[in-house]
Amino acid sequence: MTTRLLLTPDVARVVRHDGLAQSFQTLARYIADDYVRWSQFDKSARVANHSEDGVIELMPISDASLYTFKYVNGHPKNHLVGLPTVMAFGVLADVATGTPQVLSELTLSTALRTAATSALAAQHLARRDSRTMALIGNGAQAEFQALAFHHLLGIEEIRLFDVDPAATDKLVRHLSRIDGLTVIRCRDTAEAVRGADIVTTVTADKRNATILTPEMVEPGMHINGVGGDCPGKTELHRGVLERASVFVEYEPQSRIEGDVQQMPADFPVTEFWRVLRGEAAGRRSADEITVFDSVGFALEDFATLRWLRDRALALDLGRDLALVPDMADPKDLFGELGLPAQPQAAGVVPMAAAPSAVVTPLAA
């Protein structure tokens, strides 16, 4: 019994083999296919353990055949010690037996799936003629967001702002290589969003921030809020939400972690799966303001692990890992220790040879 182990170089090989545009398209299709099957999943909000410096989360989900979970952290100060803000791995297992089939890195893959999900939502919520996007927050996930929107929605101009100029330098360096994409550095958020068709916020600080305020929002904008993803962490002023039609992934989780955590419990939101199934409208007019309050949901990782499993099998990637013991006798787990046979200890009498116990009735 073996589990297929996929590491970051394996995921990178998938993307290089298929091409970035095709990888985004295929991954978005896997995600959409699973969202359409919404009712078939056993769902729950993720389990989060918070500390002063960050959060560690487990994200489980299953259908009748497969179970997956993702371990993921969010520690905004990690760059100060040379570590990524977000690190993740995940498991895909067989529901019938519980056998782990795939153990995979999900740090790189989470950036791919988050961007694919953002672009998939924008295909239904943004104006079809959208060509310009403001990208506020230029850290580790920024390239993925920019290129998913370029390849899947035809975005031609990206306007950048980050409080850290070095992050923007890094992003410009990568995006300037892309044909058909114009990259503009901006002095602040207001300049970046002015006239933009789509605004993506993907900041890291764990705090109630107001990256986008009502006076910055123009009729017809689509806002892709990615950075607000835990209690006490927001990016959008509540006035932005009050003006918009708001869409979420899984409402019980979004009410706790998303930008809608600052709104009353009866504030209306629409779960995105209903749009994909045709049960709810996406964008209804050219002037409508739409918000995708994205916090990341386990179903997207479920789809990502399916995609990785299928591509790894097709391309013969990864390696087999003896994660679970392969026992000749499934009940003999102790035998896996491989201890040498021990001589019978003195004074230990086999049960069959032990004298029968004598029971003496109690005195009357």
PDB file of all heavy atoms in Angstrom, residues 209-222:
ATOM      1  N   ALA A 209      -8.519  46.231   8.421  1.00  0.00           N
ATOM      2  CA  ALA A 209      -8.048  47.310   7.561  1.00  0.00           C
ATOM      3  C   ALA A 209      -9.182  47.814   6.677  1.00  0.00           C
ATOM      4  O   ALA A 209     -10.214  47.153   6.518  1.00  0.00           O
ATOM      5  CB  ALA A 209      -6.893  46.824   6.692  1.00  0.00           C
ATOM      6  N   THR A 210      -8.997  48.978   6.126  1.00  0.00           N
ATOM      7  CA  THR A 210      -9.941  49.529   5.146  1.00  0.00           C
ATOM      8  C   THR A 210      -9.135  49.914   3.904  1.00  0.00           C
ATOM      9  O   THR A 210      -8.854  51.085   3.662  1.00  0.00           O
ATOM     10  CB  THR A 210     -10.698  50.744   5.705  1.00  0.00           C
ATOM     11  OG1 THR A 210      -9.748  51.685   6.243  1.00  0.00           O
ATOM     12  CG2 THR A 210     -11.656  50.324   6.799  1.00  0.00           C
ATOM     13  N   ILE A 211      -8.744  48.901   3.161  1.00  0.00           N
ATOM     14  CA  ILE A 211      -7.951  49.098   1.954  1.00  0.00           C
ATOM     15  C   ILE A 211      -8.760  49.854   0.902  1.00  0.00           C
ATOM     16  O   ILE A 211      -8.250  50.718   0.192  1.00  0.00           O
ATOM     17  CB  ILE A 211      -7.489  47.746   1.381  1.00  0.00           C
ATOM     18  CG1 ILE A 211      -6.752  46.921   2.442  1.00  0.00           C
ATOM     19  CG2 ILE A 211      -6.633  47.937   0.136  1.00  0.00           C
ATOM     20  CD1 ILE A 211      -5.520  47.567   2.993  1.00  0.00           C
ATOM     21  N   LEU A 212     -10.041  49.514   0.831  1.00  0.00           N
ATOM     22  CA  LEU A 212     -10.937  50.119  -0.157  1.00  0.00           C
ATOM     23  C   LEU A 212     -12.079  50.807   0.571  1.00  0.00           C
ATOM     24  O   LEU A 212     -12.747  50.202   1.419  1.00  0.00           O
ATOM     25  CB  LEU A 212     -11.482  49.029  -1.087  1.00  0.00           C
ATOM     26  CG  LEU A 212     -11.968  49.461  -2.472  1.00  0.00           C
ATOM     27  CD1 LEU A 212     -10.832  50.059  -3.280  1.00  0.00           C
ATOM     28  CD2 LEU A 212     -12.582  48.289  -3.208  1.00  0.00           C
ATOM     29  N   THR A 213     -12.299  52.086   0.263  1.00  0.00           N
ATOM     30  CA  THR A 213     -13.352  52.881   0.903  1.00  0.00           C
ATOM     31  C   THR A 213     -14.418  53.259  -0.118  1.00  0.00           C
ATOM     32  O   THR A 213     -14.181  53.210  -1.340  1.00  0.00           O
ATOM     33  CB  THR A 213     -12.740  54.142   1.529  1.00  0.00           C
ATOM     34  OG1 THR A 213     -12.011  54.862   0.523  1.00  0.00           O
ATOM     35  CG2 THR A 213     -11.797  53.781   2.672  1.00  0.00           C
ATOM     36  N   PRO A 214     -15.616  53.656   0.334  1.00  0.00           N
ATOM     37  CA  PRO A 214     -16.733  53.874  -0.590  1.00  0.00           C
ATOM     38  C   PRO A 214     -16.454  54.887  -1.684  1.00  0.00           C
ATOM     39  O   PRO A 214     -16.898  54.702  -2.836  1.00  0.00           O
ATOM     40  CB  PRO A 214     -17.866  54.336   0.339  1.00  0.00           C
ATOM     41  CG  PRO A 214     -17.550  53.730   1.656  1.00  0.00           C
ATOM     42  CD  PRO A 214     -16.058  53.741   1.751  1.00  0.00           C
ATOM     43  N   GLU A 215     -15.717  55.954  -1.374  1.00  0.00           N
ATOM     44  CA  GLU A 215     -15.487  56.975  -2.391  1.00  0.00           C
ATOM     45  C   GLU A 215     -14.580  56.485  -3.524  1.00  0.00           C
ATOM     46  O   GLU A 215     -14.530  57.106  -4.594  1.00  0.00           O
ATOM     47  CB  GLU A 215     -14.886  58.242  -1.762  1.00  0.00           C
ATOM     48  CG  GLU A 215     -13.507  58.092  -1.162  1.00  0.00           C
ATOM     49  CD  GLU A 215     -13.524  57.626   0.280  1.00  0.00           C
ATOM     50  OE1 GLU A 215     -14.590  57.185   0.755  1.00  0.00           O
ATOM     51  OE2 GLU A 215     -12.460  57.710   0.930  1.00  0.00           O
ATOM     52  N   MET A 216     -13.881  55.364  -3.321  1.00  0.00           N
ATOM     53  CA  MET A 216     -13.035  54.805  -4.374  1.00  0.00           C
ATOM     54  C   MET A 216     -13.819  53.930  -5.358  1.00  0.00           C
ATOM     55  O   MET A 216     -13.320  53.610  -6.438  1.00  0.00           O
ATOM     56  CB  MET A 216     -11.909  53.954  -3.765  1.00  0.00           C
ATOM     57  CG  MET A 216     -10.961  54.691  -2.853  1.00  0.00           C
ATOM     58  SD  MET A 216      -9.723  53.528  -2.198  1.00  0.00           S
ATOM     59  CE  MET A 216      -8.901  54.539  -0.966  1.00  0.00           C
ATOM     60  N   VAL A 217     -15.003  53.536  -4.954  1.00  0.00           N
ATOM     61  CA  VAL A 217     -15.762  52.558  -5.736  1.00  0.00           C
ATOM     62  C   VAL A 217     -16.625  53.257  -6.779  1.00  0.00           C
ATOM     63  O   VAL A 217     -17.342  54.208  -6.460  1.00  0.00           O
ATOM     64  CB  VAL A 217     -16.630  51.682  -4.805  1.00  0.00           C
ATOM     65  CG1 VAL A 217     -17.470  50.712  -5.607  1.00  0.00           C
ATOM     66  CG2 VAL A 217     -15.735  50.934  -3.817  1.00  0.00           C
ATOM     67  N   GLU A 218     -16.552  52.770  -8.009  1.00  0.00           N
ATOM     68  CA  GLU A 218     -17.292  53.359  -9.115  1.00  0.00           C
ATOM     69  C   GLU A 218     -18.346  52.383  -9.623  1.00  0.00           C
ATOM     70  O   GLU A 218     -18.197  51.163  -9.483  1.00  0.00           O
ATOM     71  CB  GLU A 218     -16.319  53.723 -10.243  1.00  0.00           C
ATOM     72  CG  GLU A 218     -15.242  54.707  -9.819  1.00  0.00           C
ATOM     73  CD  GLU A 218     -14.189  54.927 -10.889  1.00  0.00           C
ATOM     74  OE1 GLU A 218     -14.381  54.438 -12.027  1.00  0.00           O
ATOM     75  OE2 GLU A 218     -13.175  55.585 -10.595  1.00  0.00           O
ATOM     76  N   PRO A 219     -19.430  52.881 -10.205  1.00  0.00           N
ATOM     77  CA  PRO A 219     -20.465  52.000 -10.746  1.00  0.00           C
ATOM     78  C   PRO A 219     -19.875  50.992 -11.738  1.00  0.00           C
ATOM     79  O   PRO A 219     -19.012  51.340 -12.549  1.00  0.00           O
ATOM     80  CB  PRO A 219     -21.409  52.977 -11.451  1.00  0.00           C
ATOM     81  CG  PRO A 219     -21.215  54.265 -10.740  1.00  0.00           C
ATOM     82  CD  PRO A 219     -19.758  54.305 -10.368  1.00  0.00           C
ATOM     83  N   GLY A 220     -20.321  49.756 -11.634  1.00  0.00           N
ATOM     84  CA  GLY A 220     -19.880  48.708 -12.546  1.00  0.00           C
ATOM     85  C   GLY A 220     -18.641  47.956 -12.113  1.00  0.00           C
ATOM     86  O   GLY A 220     -18.257  46.958 -12.737  1.00  0.00           O
ATOM     87  N   MET A 221     -17.982  48.404 -11.034  1.00  0.00           N
ATOM     88  CA  MET A 221     -16.770  47.713 -10.569  1.00  0.00           C
ATOM     89  C   MET A 221     -17.100  46.316 -10.044  1.00  0.00           C
ATOM     90  O   MET A 221     -18.154  46.090  -9.438  1.00  0.00           O
ATOM     91  CB  MET A 221     -16.101  48.489  -9.432  1.00  0.00           C
ATOM     92  CG  MET A 221     -15.078  49.505  -9.846  1.00  0.00           C
ATOM     93  SD  MET A 221     -14.267  50.218  -8.368  1.00  0.00           S
ATOM     94  CE  MET A 221     -13.078  51.295  -9.164  1.00  0.00           C
ATOM     95  N   HIS A 222     -16.165  45.419 -10.272  1.00  0.00           N
ATOM     96  CA  HIS A 222     -16.186  44.136  -9.565  1.00  0.00           C
ATOM     97  C   HIS A 222     -15.011  44.123  -8.611  1.00  0.00           C
ATOM     98  O   HIS A 222     -13.871  44.406  -9.009  1.00  0.00           O
ATOM     99  CB  HIS A 222     -16.085  42.953 -10.521  1.00  0.00           C
ATOM    100  CG  HIS A 222     -15.870  41.643  -9.821  1.00  0.00           C
ATOM    101  ND1 HIS A 222     -16.788  41.134  -8.925  1.00  0.00           N
ATOM    102  CD2 HIS A 222     -14.826  40.761  -9.841  1.00  0.00           C
ATOM    103  CE1 HIS A 222     -16.342  39.980  -8.441  1.00  0.00           C
ATOM    104  NE2 HIS A 222     -15.154  39.739  -8.980  1.00  0.00           N
TER     105      HIS A 222
END
